[in-house]
Structures are given as structure tokens and as C-alpha cells.
């Protein structure tokens, strides 16, 4: 899939973003949302994130195959150099390296901004035979250099069962005594 284009998400991507996400909301415990947002809500979320952070899509032949974004980590000034990341790849486009391409581009943008830490909040199944969730997200993040930092037990309830939540992190740079202020995505 060398002909994948990674670019900033645009307003006309909202329908594709909503369709990709809808599958994960309705058929998996990867996200803990119960109701899939429509295109207008996805566009509002995209706009809010893009005010400061990257929101990227992977496109091939004009079709959006996945998206990734980073957003504020807990909204306190001291967390300014940290973000939380999310990624969703079209269910029929998984296992072609799209996730890695999205994350590579997002990490490059975050480094340019001066972000030093990426945190990933990942739903984890409590049994190996869970029909709604695997450990695939944890394995994916490990392959990208993320490290496990903790697990919250029985933190999410969906499809009549409890799920654990794992937190993984990746350091993007050195942590100086006096870090430079973080730039907005739109300025890098």
C-alpha cells in the first residue's frame, strides 16, 4: 500500500470518519461509546481537535481508509507536553500498514509541535475468547515502541460485560529542565 496518502482531515471527510467509527462503536469494545456519532458530530470533534492538535486521515484513490488524532491530556497546564492518541482503520483495510503510516505521521507532527509524551488508553478484554475485543491494540502499540504503564480493572461496561483499560506511553523526546512551549499543529 505504497500509494496511501496521509493528510490532515478535512470537513468533507466527516461522513467517512463517521462510517469507520460506527463499526467500532456498534460491533466492538475498542471504544466505550454506545451510540455512533453522525457526520456532523464527527466534524465538530475534528474541528475541536484541529484547533491545537493533528487529526490525520489515510487515503487511497480518494477513499478514507483510517484516521488518527491526538488530543489534550487532562487539560491542566503541567500536562501541556503530553497528549492522548486514538486511531481507527476501516475494518476492511486492516493489516496493510495503514495504522503505522498514520502513527508515524502523527508522531512526526507532534515532535514538531514540541510534544514529548504520547499516551494511549486501550480497552483490554478480561478473557481470551471475548467476541468484541482482542489484545490487538496492545500488540500494535508495543510494535510501535509504546510501553505498558498501568491497567485499570473493570473500568468500562459494554455489551453486558466489564472491560479493563490499559495505559501505554511512548516518549517522543528528551525532557529538559525548561521545555520550550508547545506549538499548535496549525503553526508547524
Amino acid at each position: 500500500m505504497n500509494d496511501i496518502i496521509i493528510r490532515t482531515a478535512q470537513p468533507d471527510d466527516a461522513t467517512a470518519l463517521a462510517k469507520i467509527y460506527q463499526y467500532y462503536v456498534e460491533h466492538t469494545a475498542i471504544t466505550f461509546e454506545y451510540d455512533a456519532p453522525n457526520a456532523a458530530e464527527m466534524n465538530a470533534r475534528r474541528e475541536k481537535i484541529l484547533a491545537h492538535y493533528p487529526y490525520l486521515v489515510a487515503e487511497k484513490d480518494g477513499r478514507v481508509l483510517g484516521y488518527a488524532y491526538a488530543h489534550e491530556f487532562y487539560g491542566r497546564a503541567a500536562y501541556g507536553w503530553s497528549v492522548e492518541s486514538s486511531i481507527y482503520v476501516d475494518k476492511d483495510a486492516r493489516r496493510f500498514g495503514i495504522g503505522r503510516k498514520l502513527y508515524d505521521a502523527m508522531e512526526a507532527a507532534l515532535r514538531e509541535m514540541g510534544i514529548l509524551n504520547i499516551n494511549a488508553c486501550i480497552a483490554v478484554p478480561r478473557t481470551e475468547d471475548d467476541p468484541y475485543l482482542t489484545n490487538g491494540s496492545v500488540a500494535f502499540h508495543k510494535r510501535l515502541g509504546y510501553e505498558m504503564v498501568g491497567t485499570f480493572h473493570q473500568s468500562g461496561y459494554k455489551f453486558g460485560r466489564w472491560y479493563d483499560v490499559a495505559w501505554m506511553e511512548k516518549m517522543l523526546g528528551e525532557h529538559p529542565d525548561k521545555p520550550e512551549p508547545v506549538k499548535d499543529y496549525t503553526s508547524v
Side-chain angles (χ1 to χ4, degrees):
M1 288 226 163
N2 292 334
D3 48 354
I4 298 290
I5 298 167
I6 305 296
R7 61 171 175 77
T8 301
Q10 302 298 312
D12 58 354
D13 294 324
T15 299
L17 301 175
K19 184 178 180 202
I20 290 168
Y21 190 56
Q22 179 181 5
Y23 168 79
Y24 290 97
V25 172
E26 293 177 354
H27 301 284
T28 78
I30 288 172
T31 174
F32 286 168
E33 284 198 70
Y34 285 5
D35 300 310
N38 62 23
E41 173 60 23
M42 290 300 284
N43 191 52
R45 293 177 187 189
R46 181 199 62 81
E47 286 179 348
K48 182 178 179 184
I49 289 166
L50 274 173
H52 302 289
Y53 301 100
Y55 197 125
L56 305 176
V57 298
E59 176 186 295
K60 179 181 179 188
D61 300 328
R63 181 175 164 229
V64 174
L65 298 177
Y67 63 96
Y69 60 87
H71 61 85
E72 179 179 66
F73 187 70
Y74 285 111
R76 302 287 188 265
Y79 289 121
W81 294 266
S82 297
V83 295
E84 183 179 341
S85 64
S86 291
I87 185 168
Y88 295 92
V89 174
D90 183 290
K91 67 179 178 61
D92 297 321
R94 294 181 292 193
R95 307 252 184 246
F96 293 109
I98 294 168
R100 178 175 286 278
K101 287 179 185 260
L102 280 164
Y103 257 57
D104 286 349
M106 184 172 62
E107 288 178 13
L110 292 170
R111 282 186 183 94
E112 286 287 316
M113 293 171 59
I115 297 294
L116 301 175
N117 296 21
I118 301 179
N119 303 299
C121 178
I122 302 168
V124 180
R126 296 185 55 77
T127 63
E128 289 189 29
D129 62 343
D130 191 293
Y132 305 105
L133 190 62
T134 69
N135 282 305
S137 291
V138 169
F140 169 75
H141 284 82
K142 281 183 181 177
R143 284 192 304 274
L144 296 180
Y146 285 70
E147 295 181 12
M148 186 69 70
V149 292
T151 302
F152 295 105
H153 301 282
Q154 298 182 16
S155 295
Y157 184 80
K158 189 172 180 181
F159 301 128
R161 60 189 64 219
W162 288 101
Y163 290 96
D164 293 348
V165 173
W167 279 94
M168 298 181 79
E169 69 180 358
K170 183 174 183 178
M171 302 298 173
L172 294 180
E174 298 297 319
H175 290 70
D177 290 338
K178 294 185 181 180
E180 293 290 320
V182 172
K183 301 175 204 125
D184 283 340
Y185 174 66
T186 55
S187 69
V188 297

